[in-house]
Amino acid sequence: LVFAQGHGSSPYSIIGIGEIAPETVASQDMMGGTGVSFANSFYVNQLNPALLVKNRSIGFNKYVSFNIGLNGAYKTIQQGNKITDNFGMNMNNFSLVFPIKNKWAMGVSMRPYSVSDYTSVKTIDFAGSSEQRIQEIKNQGGLSRIAFTNSFELAKGLYFGVDGQYNYGYISVDTSANMKGVASYQRYSSRTNLKGVSARTGLAYQQKINKKWKVNVGSFYQLGRDLKGDQIRTYSILTDNGEGPAYDKVPDTLGIRNVNSGIPSSYKVGLSLEKTYNWVFAADYGKTLWTGVNQFDPNAKNMMNDATEMNVGMEWMPNSSSSKYLDLVFYRLGFKHVNSPYTVNGSRVIDNSFSLGVSLPMGKSGYFDVAAMMGRRGSNAAGQIQENYTKISLNVSLMSVWFYKQRID
């Protein structure tokens, strides 16, 4: 069992800038990743910036929301008759939304954008000899994103929002080799540093269809952008005598160059039927446009294609006006189907998962969200690698009145 630094080690994460991290929070993960068209006041919707302003002002009160969440994953990875497993956990969102006026809210968030996390070890036998060569390739790093959001209610039921985003991070690859039983080994290292800005716009609309039910539609468009940076390659010799590796001499610099690598454009549309704080039935469809995206990794150009995603989910709260604890719990479930961007030997890597979870009240101030997703990515055929996974998503959502002022009649 290997403990991974990201969201569970994956061989697919070594391609390009790494595996794109989900942008959903736990309450959306439970519902198959839906959330483009609807939101409530307790959690921060980071899929569609238009929805941050929704339900921020009720009567004379304005409400601020704070979210922090973790993602974890246990994976069994299989290729042929080789099987390994690993577990990883990391923070997946930190966000704050506060109202400026009745129809204007601002937000700031920080989350991983991509994750690269995989280590492979190969033992090479020499013909006619008992000696063996051990080779280890370690990929790690990823990109993070800080977003500043403005969200507006343009008219009754019509919402618009825009994200300004700053992306930064690094991808490193260390290739080490030594003869089995020998303390000294060689290491070739590559570190690619990237940074740059991007943007997202969102739109949402809600329409009453009778006294109890509403229909919601929503969409967002993520603007693709080239990130700029540099790549440094080094060679070193290290020795490990049981007290950890130490350099035999200062590493040699093999080269430094400027690099560009793009993040893809994407869009998503969603439709939902809602009975406020009782029922939600939702469906989303999205596409990520990898074709033509500039890549610093030449292997990524041959393996990355446009990806599509379909999500369905439902939410139920028994009775929002009740004083009983279980009546105020949100119960959710969903399904996600992804045609991933990865193609292996001409075959697309498919990812299917089911999800469920609950949002548990924490007094009157917020919710504790617990989501579980069970699924499979890839297949143990046609040269692909199959991942069977169980993912856990945890989130704390807190809501409070923002600068309450007494009113005197």
Side-chain angles (χ1 to χ4, degrees):
L1 177 66
V2 178
F3 188 86
Q5 293 181 348
H7 299 99
S9 178
S10 171
Y12 294 109
S13 73
I14 71 174
I15 303 169
I17 59 174
E19 182 179 354
I20 304 303
E23 298 179 297
T24 47
V25 295
S27 55
Q28 297 166 322
D29 291 332
M30 304 174 203
M31 298 180 65
T34 56
V36 177
S37 63
F38 69 95
N40 65 38
S41 54
F42 289 104
Y43 67 86
V44 178
N45 188 319
Q46 295 181 28
L47 280 176
N48 190 345
L51 292 170
L52 261 65
V53 72
K54 189 178 180 183
N55 298 328
R56 289 292 141 222
S57 298
I58 302 175
F60 296 117
N61 295 329
K62 297 180 175 66
Y63 292 91
V64 60
S65 287
F66 168 76
N67 282 196
I68 186 168
L70 296 172
N71 274 357
Y74 172 75
K75 297 180 181 179
T76 301
I77 301 172
Q78 182 175 5
Q79 186 177 35
N81 59 1
K82 298 178 181 178
I83 301 176
T84 185
D85 60 354
N86 66 78
F87 176 79
M89 179 168 280
N90 204 350
M91 189 185 84
N92 86 313
N93 81 89
F94 178 91
S95 55
L96 177 70
V97 175
F98 45 91
I100 304 301
K101 295 184 177 181
N102 286 345
K103 298 183 179 181
W104 177 19
M106 287 186 178
V108 61
S109 63
M110 180 174 66
R111 64 182 308 123
Y113 174 72
S114 70
V115 177
S116 179
D117 186 8
Y118 188 68
T119 300
S120 63
V121 179
K122 181 188 295 185
T123 301
I124 303 171
D125 295 316
F126 290 92
S129 171
S130 61
E131 292 186 334
Q132 294 179 314
R133 185 169 183 260
I134 310 298
Q135 179 177 288
E136 178 186 89
I137 303 176
K138 184 175 183 179
N139 297 261
Q140 63 181 356
L143 301 178
S144 297
R145 170 174 288 175
I146 298 174
F148 181 73
T149 307
N150 278 276
S151 180
F152 307 91
E153 185 177 3
L154 301 180
K156 186 176 180 180
L158 180 62
Y159 307 94
F160 172 78
V162 59
D163 273 350
Q165 303 160 340
Y166 179 69
N167 309 280
Y168 65 97
Y170 72 94
I171 308 294
S172 70
V173 182
D174 294 330
T175 303
S176 303
N178 70 305
M179 301 302 294
K180 189 174 182 179
V182 178
S184 295
Y185 59 94
Q186 304 174 72
R187 174 181 291 170
Y188 290 89
S189 298
S190 170
R191 179 181 171 113
T192 304
N193 303 293
L194 295 168
K195 61 183 178 180
V197 297
S198 55
R200 171 178 297 193
T201 61
L203 193 66
Y205 180 69
Q206 182 178 78
Q207 176 64 51
K208 279 189 174 182
I209 54 178
N210 57 39
K211 290 183 179 180
K212 295 183 178 180
W213 290 91
K214 304 168 185 176
V215 63
N216 308 304
V217 293
S219 65
F220 74 75
Y221 180 76
Q222 172 69 48
L223 182 67
R225 188 68 182 256
D226 267 2
L227 307 182
K228 296 183 179 181
D230 57 68
Q231 184 181 81
I232 180 170
R233 295 181 296 109
T234 61
Y235 168 77
S236 55
I237 298 177
L238 302 93
T239 300
D240 189 347
N241 291 314
E243 298 179 355
Y247 289 106
D248 287 3
K249 63 176 183 176
V250 176
D252 295 322
T253 299
L254 301 179
I256 300 175
R257 67 186 181 103
N258 294 325
V259 295
N260 293 328
S261 196
I263 56 175
S265 299
S266 63
Y267 66 84
K268 207 166 191 181
V269 294
L271 175 69
S272 59
L273 189 64
E274 177 182 3
K275 186 179 179 183
T276 305
Y277 293 116
N278 190 199
W279 288 100
V280 175
F281 301 92
D284 292 351
Y285 171 81
K287 189 170 187 177
T288 303
L289 307 174
W290 283 101
T291 302
V293 172
N294 190 22
Q295 301 275 2
F296 79 91
D297 175 10
N299 293 322
K301 294 181 180 180
N302 301 322
M303 298 184 67
M304 302 290 282
N305 298 275
D306 293 348
T308 59
E309 180 176 326
M310 291 182 289
N311 322 80
V312 293
M314 63 169 288
E315 170 187 285
W316 175 54
M317 175 189 276
N319 186 355
S320 61
S321 60
S322 173
S323 60
K324 296 180 180 179
Y325 186 86
L326 293 180
D327 285 345
L328 301 176
V329 174
F330 286 100
Y331 303 88
R332 302 183 176 101
L333 57 87
F335 173 76
K336 179 193 293 187
H337 171 80
V338 180
N339 288 317
S340 81
Y342 311 119
T343 300
V344 179
N345 294 331
S347 299
R348 181 64 65 97
V349 176
I350 306 298
D351 186 348
N352 290 313
S353 62
F354 292 93
S355 56
L356 53 82
V358 293
S359 294
L360 305 172
M362 299 191 304
K364 297 181 179 180
S365 61
Y367 276 83
F368 177 59
D369 308 317
V370 182
M373 295 76 72
M374 292 73 68
R376 174 181 294 175
R377 177 166 63 172
S379 65
N380 191 21
Q384 292 190 15
I385 298 172
Q386 179 176 301
E387 297 179 349
N388 297 317
Y389 58 81
T390 299
K391 297 181 179 180
I392 302 295
S393 184
L394 307 175
N395 197 81
V396 174
S397 305
L398 301 176
M399 188 172 74
S400 179
V401 176
W402 178 253
F403 292 127
Y404 176 79
K405 294 182 179 180
Q406 282 190 321
R407 295 182 62 87
I408 300 176
D409 294 330

